[in-house]
Amino acid sequence: MRSLSNYKMVQANNLDKCYGRQVIFDKAGFTLNPGERLGLVGRNGHGKTTLFKMILGQEHSDAGSISIPNGYKIGHLSQHLSFSVDTVLKEACLSLRNNEDGIDETYKAETILMGLGFTVEDFGLNPLDLSGGYQVRLNLAKVLVSDPDLLLLDEPTNYLDIISLRWLTQFLRNWKKELIIITHDRDFMDGVTTHTMAIHRYRMRKEAGPTDKVYQQLLLEEEIHEKTRLNDDKKRKEIEEFINRFRAKATKARAVQSRVKALQKKERLEKLTEIRDLDFAFKSASFTGKQLMEVNDLSFSFDNDGVTLIDGLSFTVGKKDRIAIIGKNGKGKTTLLNLLAKELKTKTGAVSHHDQLQMAYFGQTNINRLNPHKTIEEEIMDVHPEGNRGAARRICGIMMFPGDNALKKISVLSGGEKSRVLLGKLLVSPSNMLAGHSPDSL
């Protein structure tokens, strides 16, 4: 533990942030004390990723400030995959802190890599030859190896199997410095954090303890607000009725004037605006056959490693079938989905689609399917060019991008918001088969 003489805090004060007309923060603030591990919660699009970017200096507030102690090192899990050396171990070691004593600390990188599911044999692989899931794990290993003062982790559990997840849970429980984590897995969050902070109605609310505690507190406060508002409205109407009834009577003039002044001084509580939930349904396309898809003797390997991922696989997808694909990372789940969607060409065997098949495919790399320079509205209209702007705006509204929010550039969206845009594109056209990765980040 750091001594009290090195007592350092990260503080945010009176933060304001808007994107056009969309308010993200309004006089928001928080304090992160030494040793606190903070779970950051809130609906997608309400500012979690924006706050991370502001702490990192990638975004700036419209007003207010974030104070970072001098010499304070921040490490974050980047969603951008970029590797510069030719082996997994070398890549991980790039993040080791400089050791003035010249001691070789490669063992630290090896320990973390193995905890995240890499084998000793994997250490010599080129990072570019890893599956998408293991590339994300390598990015996570790099930030853990860097041993920063503050860890910022955005969805670190994505692509981890149960063994790696258990190791990461224990690693973060033992973390003695500061941590802020965003994850859809509330059980994991509650297992590693000391505090929870909710972004709610443009402000930040921090409580010691698990996620349930802060949500219950917010719910209680909103119930009290509504009961108080209704009670105040009732009293206000009674006063207004008294004023209207006795305004013309001279004997009641003093009492009337007293009530008028009291009414003017009393602040009126406004009804809290409703926070929308994501509510959508896919448009179903008709299908009169029995089998939507047939896979015959399918085998596949990538040319660069020669490892067979799929060998002699045969199956059919019938009408109303619901199929789950399970397996460890790097064993071919995403490859199989890409083959079924015909985004990868088969090498041996065949994937046959029924003539009536209309597939809606939500891929693992959905963010890469969006043009960062386009608006949400433009992305929707690209997939349905014959549709009018009003139809595109309706889809944007369903995906919780109402009004001018539909004109936001893809580049400023959070990961969850980008996933909603992709879902919006899938909603435009009818489908009779849904395929893809679970959209956890929604």
Side-chain angles (χ1 to χ4, degrees):
M1 287 290 290
R2 284 164 286 180
S3 66
L4 291 177
S5 62
N6 293 325
Y7 194 84
K8 297 179 178 180
M9 297 183 296
V10 175
Q11 287 186 304
N13 296 297
N14 294 317
L15 294 179
D16 290 347
K17 182 66 177 178
C18 297
Y19 291 113
R21 294 182 182 179
Q22 183 185 10
V23 177
I24 302 297
F25 300 131
D26 180 16
K27 300 293 183 293
F30 72 95
T31 298
L32 181 67
N33 294 304
E36 288 184 349
R37 303 190 300 275
L38 185 64
L40 184 60
V41 298
R43 296 169 188 257
N44 281 327
H46 283 207
K48 300 188 298 295
T49 299
T50 297
L51 179 60
F52 269 24
K53 289 180 177 179
M54 291 168 72
I55 293 172
L56 292 165
Q58 298 171 355
E59 291 267 1
H60 300 286
S61 61
D62 300 327
S65 63
I66 297 180
S67 301
I68 308 293
N70 291 330
Y72 193 78
K73 183 179 179 182
I74 301 174
H76 78 288
L77 177 56
S78 174
Q79 302 298 318
H80 178 64
L81 299 173
S82 178
F83 306 115
S84 57
V85 293
D86 60 358
T87 73
V88 166
L89 183 57
K90 288 180 184 177
E91 187 70 39
C93 287
L94 291 177
S95 298
L96 284 168
R97 286 196 179 217
N98 292 329
N99 191 316
E100 296 178 357
D101 298 329
I103 299 173
D104 182 6
E105 294 186 325
T106 301
Y107 72 92
K108 292 183 178 180
E110 292 174 340
T111 300
I112 289 172
L113 285 169
M114 293 182 73
L116 292 175
F118 290 90
T119 65
V120 174
E121 291 75 18
D122 294 333
F123 291 172
L125 295 177
N126 191 310
L128 300 178
D129 292 337
L130 298 174
S131 68
Y134 271 90
Q135 287 182 340
V136 173
R137 291 193 196 200
L138 180 53
N139 255 16
L140 176 57
K142 287 168 65 177
V143 70
L144 299 182
V145 165
S146 68
D147 191 30
D149 296 296
L150 169 61
L151 265 176
L152 298 180
L153 299 180
D154 191 348
E155 297 292 355
T157 63
N158 283 356
Y159 315 118
L160 295 185
D161 56 33
I162 187 64
I163 296 173
S164 300
L165 188 61
R166 287 172 180 165
W167 179 89
L168 181 61
T169 299
Q170 196 59 47
F171 182 93
L172 295 179
R173 281 177 180 167
N174 293 331
W175 186 255
K176 302 302 182 185
K177 302 177 187 179
E178 288 78 73
L179 164 70
I180 306 179
I181 186 170
I182 300 170
T183 175
H184 65 276
D185 188 340
R186 284 174 59 176
D187 288 337
F188 173 78
M189 179 182 283
D190 290 342
V192 302
T193 56
T194 60
H195 295 70
T196 305
M197 184 167 76
I199 298 177
H200 183 70
R201 299 192 184 278
Y202 322 124
R203 302 282 179 92
M204 299 167 194
R205 177 62 177 269
K206 177 183 166 190
E207 297 280 352
T211 50
D212 277 346
K213 185 176 179 182
V214 71
Y215 279 126
Q216 288 171 1
Q217 186 65 29
L218 289 171
L219 181 61
L220 176 63
E221 289 175 3
E222 298 215 338
E223 287 177 350
I224 292 172
H225 176 97
E226 183 61 11
K227 287 179 180 178
T228 304
R229 184 187 71 82
L230 292 173
N231 190 46
D232 284 357
D233 280 355
K234 182 180 178 182
K235 290 181 179 178
R236 181 179 290 273
K237 286 179 181 178
E238 291 173 352
I239 294 172
E240 289 172 345
E241 288 174 358
F242 179 91
I243 293 170
N244 292 332
R245 182 178 178 184
F246 297 108
R247 189 187 298 274
K249 289 192 175 183
T251 56
K252 295 286 188 179
R254 183 175 295 179
V256 168
Q257 192 61 30
S258 174
R259 283 167 172 77
V260 168
K261 289 181 179 179
L263 211 56
Q264 290 172 342
K265 290 180 180 179
K266 188 170 181 62
E267 184 178 346
R268 189 164 199 159
L269 287 177
E270 297 296 329
K271 184 177 177 63
L272 294 174
T273 57
E274 182 181 357
I275 299 177
R276 289 188 58 196
D277 285 318
L278 186 62
D279 184 15
F280 67 92
F282 290 97
K283 188 185 295 184
S284 177
S286 63
F287 183 77
T288 58
K290 290 185 177 180
Q291 294 180 352
L292 293 104
M293 180 186 297
E294 187 174 357
V295 179
N296 290 306
D297 198 27
L298 180 65
S299 297
F300 187 86
S301 63
F302 287 101
D303 293 333
N304 54 3
D305 59 18
V307 176
T308 300
L309 290 174
I310 301 167
D311 186 14
L313 178 64
S314 296
F315 68 96
T316 59
V317 180
K319 191 175 182 179
K320 296 186 178 180
D321 280 356
R322 289 174 170 82
I323 301 172
I325 302 173
I326 61 174
K328 294 183 177 180
N329 282 338
K331 299 301 182 182
K333 299 189 300 296
T334 299
T335 300
L336 177 57
L337 283 172
N338 286 334
L339 288 165
L340 299 183
K342 296 194 173 181
E343 295 203 349
L344 272 179
K345 290 184 178 180
T346 58
K347 295 185 177 179
T348 303
V351 176
S352 302
H353 289 181
H354 191 282
D355 290 342
Q356 294 180 359
L357 175 64
Q358 296 182 53
M359 183 186 295
Y361 182 49
F362 190 95
Q364 183 184 50
T365 55
N366 62 83
I367 287 175
N368 298 332
R369 298 163 183 260
L370 303 173
N371 186 332
H373 305 295
K374 289 189 174 183
T375 65
I376 299 168
E377 178 187 272
E378 288 170 340
E379 281 284 351
I380 299 297
M381 293 194 72
D382 279 351
V383 78
H384 192 43
E386 67 274 15
N388 58 41
R389 189 181 182 192
R393 280 296 183 98
R394 283 194 292 275
I395 294 295
C396 291
I398 290 171
M399 290 292 104
M400 297 174 63
F401 299 111
D404 288 345
N405 288 331
L407 302 178
K408 290 169 70 175
K409 296 281 189 183
I410 298 299
S411 58
V412 304
L413 302 181
S414 68
E417 288 175 309
K418 289 175 181 175
S419 291
R420 296 210 307 269
V421 175
L422 182 67
L423 273 179
K425 296 179 73 169
L426 298 182
L427 289 179
V428 170
S429 299
S431 61
N432 45 37
M433 180 175 176
L434 305 178
H437 289 258
S438 174
D440 293 324
S441 59
L442 294 174

